[in-house]
Amino acid sequence: MAAQYRWPVSYGSPLLLSSLNPAAVAAGIDIPDAVTIDGVTLSRSDLLGAATSVAERVARAQRVAVLAEPTATTVLAVVGCLIAGVTVVPVPPDAGNAELEHILADSGAQAWLGRAPEGAALPVIPVRLHARSWHTYAEPAPTATAFILYTSGTTGAPKGVMLSRGAVAAGLDALAKAWGWTANDVLVHGLPLFHVHGLILGLLGPLRVGSPLIHTGKPTPQAYAQARGTMYFGVPTVWSRIVEEPEAAKELVSARVLISGSAPLPVPVFERLRELTGHAPIERYGMSETMITISTRPDGERRPGWVGTPVAGVRTRLCDEAGNPVPHDGESVGGLQVRGPMLFDGYLNRPEVTAESFTADGWFKTGDVAVIDAEGFHRIVGRESVDLIKSGGYRIGAGEIETSLLGHPAVAETAVIGVPDDDLGQRIVAYVVLREGVDAPEQRLIDHVASELSIHKRPREVRVVAALPRNAMGKVQKKLLL
Ligand code: MCA
Ligand code: AMP
């Protein structure tokens, strides 16, 4: 457990989902459209009543898995668990067998809440959209684990990031302050509900701040254009697809803020978005382990290619490989380290990896390299490791894909890299040496990964080669493949 590394939590409302305060809802402080998703609109009282009914059914569990499809069922499952104080393990809805087995075994989830994948071995607790309960639950402690989010590392299977309720609340309050986010906003996005971006910022944010949420389903330019919100979230791939459709982009003129994160926003996309919508996008930087720690501000400078300054409660610094400080002069590059009240409590079941990811004096080593200028503005230069790939805003470990490919009978050796891609930021490319005398169409290898892991982890391209470039020690030289 790494709770000792987190700074003390001090946050606004003592209720994590403060807009669902039972007393306020009973007193008639309701809105008809708290959440709109998958063709269903839930008022605040619908949401509270139905989620409390879920809470009653799930309250005796400690930890449950939720197949995080973008549906009202997922929303009620997550909110019900938060009401009851049960830890949620969100599972990508398209997770293949290997990924699913790993997440369930590692997390120790006791049941599926809501819809379960076909052939599920765990018991299934149903979620009923029209059930209602008005039982009141005491607010669980801020130290309780709200979520275990699975995220890829450079090697091995994904690790479970433990996020406490206090960290979530502090992270959301810092963003509300940074972005001037209030109950008068209407948030629009179409991001997946199994990562910090779509789930915590994109669902719990509105429920804490009290602003309605419109989830668009697939985040297409047309869906964003039609939604008519004040605040839009997107990963860079979403924004680059929007600027390719100027008619849709122009519909965003009436928004208050457009916010980009999860991966670097290319400068030409930033500029084109400003031209078409009149809004210079807000860029913000974060990680599953830290939530959002750095952002530009709607009332401050927005500099293309830069992600701004730390949000409330966060401190940042740069260090070289020996741990010595690197000057904040806008040019010197160093490893970015952060601290703040929104940091995670460690990787589940991995105390050594948790300890290694913090410095002796309690700073989290992000693994990103950055520069900081004299005004405290940050630019993310890249990752320390070539083995962490960002594709469509998803963090994908090369090692996990290599393990999957090596499990295919035709593959003798493989090296997976991320190559620059205009649409996805990075595109996953697998170099493969086939076993002698064996042939396998490239598409079959791609499908193999898509069926074992999640679809977004599939290589977009497989390049069959006679040998991989190796150094004298026999280590694959991925930089030569790039
Ligand atoms: C193609 N498909 C296949 C295959 N080939 N399906 C199965 N097997 C195959 N071999 C089809 C699928 O049927 C599906 O089609 C489509 O490919 C899905 O491909 P995908 O690449 O996933 O879709 P995309 O349209 O290219 O997605 C772009 C996207 C997505 C919508 C931008 O990448 C996305 O949602 N990204 C968000 C990532 C995110 O939220 N990251 C946050 C983590 P069909 O679509 O027709 O069904 S970062 C974070 O949380 C931190 C804190 C932060 O900073 O925010
Ligand atoms: P994840 O844990 O999936 O959220 O991935 C976190 C990683 O995404 C960070 O370590 C960065 O490499 C990258 N990232 C997130 N936001 C940004 C951003 N605004 N600019 C550049 N990289 C980003």
Side-chain angles (χ1 to χ4, degrees):
M1 298 281 166
Q4 75 267 23
Y5 297 121
R6 245 193 306 122
W7 273 6
V9 176
S10 69
Y11 57 95
S13 170
L15 296 179
L16 176 53
L17 304 179
S18 39
S19 76
L20 298 183
N21 179 340
V25 173
I29 303 177
D30 199 357
I31 55 170
D33 52 358
V35 174
T36 301
I37 187 164
D38 191 32
V40 176
T41 295
L42 298 165
S43 69
R44 235 176 237 169
S45 58
D46 286 340
L47 188 47
L48 182 64
T52 306
S53 161
V54 172
E56 286 197 344
R57 257 174 271 137
V58 79
R60 272 182 304 175
Q62 277 89 48
R63 204 175 277 175
V64 296
V66 173
L67 199 63
E69 298 164 312
T71 60
T73 300
T74 299
V75 171
L76 295 178
V78 169
V79 175
C81 286
L82 291 174
I83 290 172
V86 174
T87 302
V88 180
V89 182
V91 177
D94 64 349
N97 289 339
E99 191 164 328
L100 208 53
E101 272 173 31
H102 167 69
I103 293 177
L104 294 180
D106 189 69
S107 68
Q110 296 153 309
W112 284 101
L113 179 58
R115 210 174 73 74
E118 236 163 82
L122 289 177
V124 181
I125 304 170
V127 166
R128 299 205 174 91
L129 211 53
H130 299 290
R132 295 289 182 272
S133 162
W134 305 107
H135 183 81
T136 50
Y137 284 82
E139 180 74 5
T143 48
T145 304
F147 295 101
I148 299 173
L149 298 178
Y150 278 82
T151 189
S152 300
T154 48
T155 56
K159 302 187 288 277
V161 168
M162 296 185 285
L163 277 179
S164 72
R165 299 173 71 94
V168 169
L172 292 175
D173 288 353
L175 289 181
K177 187 168 175 213
W179 299 338
W181 183 359
T182 70
N184 294 326
D185 280 304
V186 175
L187 176 66
V188 175
H189 73 86
L191 297 168
L193 298 184
F194 49 88
H195 281 309
V196 164
H197 198 164
L199 174 65
I200 298 189
L201 276 50
L203 172 62
L204 304 193
L207 298 181
R208 185 161 173 83
V209 170
S211 57
L213 163 67
I214 299 172
H215 191 283
T216 59
K218 210 171 154 84
T220 60
Q222 291 70 25
Y224 273 40
Q226 282 161 16
R228 307 258 163 236
T230 65
M231 225 179 154
Y232 286 76
F233 287 173
V235 296
T237 302
V238 168
W239 295 120
S240 72
R241 290 179 185 181
I242 286 176
V243 299
E244 290 299 314
E245 308 227 10
E247 289 314 312
K250 284 179 189 153
E251 295 296 325
L252 304 185
V253 168
S254 57
R256 185 175 71 80
V257 274
L258 310 181
I259 303 177
S260 178
S262 303
L265 183 68
V267 172
V269 177
F270 180 109
E271 298 294 7
R272 188 80 179 117
L273 208 47
R274 174 155 52 188
E275 255 171 60
L276 290 168
T277 67
H279 297 291
I282 297 289
E283 286 185 71
R284 94 296 178 289
Y285 161 86
M287 295 183 73
S288 305
E289 290 88 338
T290 67
M291 299 204 28
I292 307 309
T293 47
I294 305 171
S295 182
T296 56
R297 310 289 197 274
D299 57 356
E301 185 189 359
R302 277 164 273 175
R303 202 188 295 170
W306 294 69
V307 294
T309 55
V311 298
V314 171
R315 281 173 59 198
T316 60
R317 70 181 187 190
L318 299 178
C319 287
D320 65 18
E321 276 168 22
N324 299 313
V326 167
H328 297 184
D329 57 11
E331 283 177 15
S332 304
V333 174
L336 178 64
Q337 300 181 356
V338 300
R339 29 190 334 167
M342 59 290 280
L343 263 56
F344 71 140
D345 283 336
Y347 299 109
L348 182 70
N349 305 326
R350 287 171 176 76
E352 306 81 23
V353 184
T354 303
E356 280 162 19
S357 63
F358 285 87
T359 63
D361 57 347
W363 293 69
F364 178 69
K365 298 186 270 185
T366 64
D368 289 304
V369 286
V371 299
I372 305 178
D373 76 4
E375 283 91 53
F377 249 65
H378 293 58
R379 183 164 67 84
I380 307 299
V381 176
R383 296 254 355 145
E384 276 164 6
S385 168
V386 291
D387 285 328
L388 267 193
I389 300 167
K390 265 272 157 164
S391 188
Y394 286 113
R395 167 170 148 188
I396 301 157
E400 195 187 352
I401 304 169
E402 288 161 4
T403 304
S404 170
L405 284 169
L406 287 171
H408 190 282
V411 177
E413 293 174 44
T414 180
V416 168
I417 57 168
V419 305
D421 184 275
D422 285 345
D423 180 44
L424 297 169
Q426 284 183 300
R427 180 171 81 250
I428 302 172
V429 174
Y431 284 81
V432 164
V433 180
L434 292 176
R435 286 189 190 286
E436 248 182 67
V438 181
D439 197 15
E442 286 148 23
Q443 190 59 44
R444 194 171 302 158
L445 299 181
I446 294 172
D447 292 344
H448 170 76
V449 177
S451 67
E452 281 218 311
L453 308 177
S454 297
I455 291 172
H456 66 261
K457 293 182 179 172
R458 71 190 185 278
R460 302 293 166 130
E461 210 183 309
V462 169
R463 297 181 187 164
V464 175
V465 289
L468 298 173
R470 293 182 184 272
N471 65 12
M473 311 289 290
K475 192 172 175 328
V476 176
Q477 300 293 283
K478 288 200 177 175
K479 293 218 164 102
L480 295 180
L481 295 173
L482 284 163

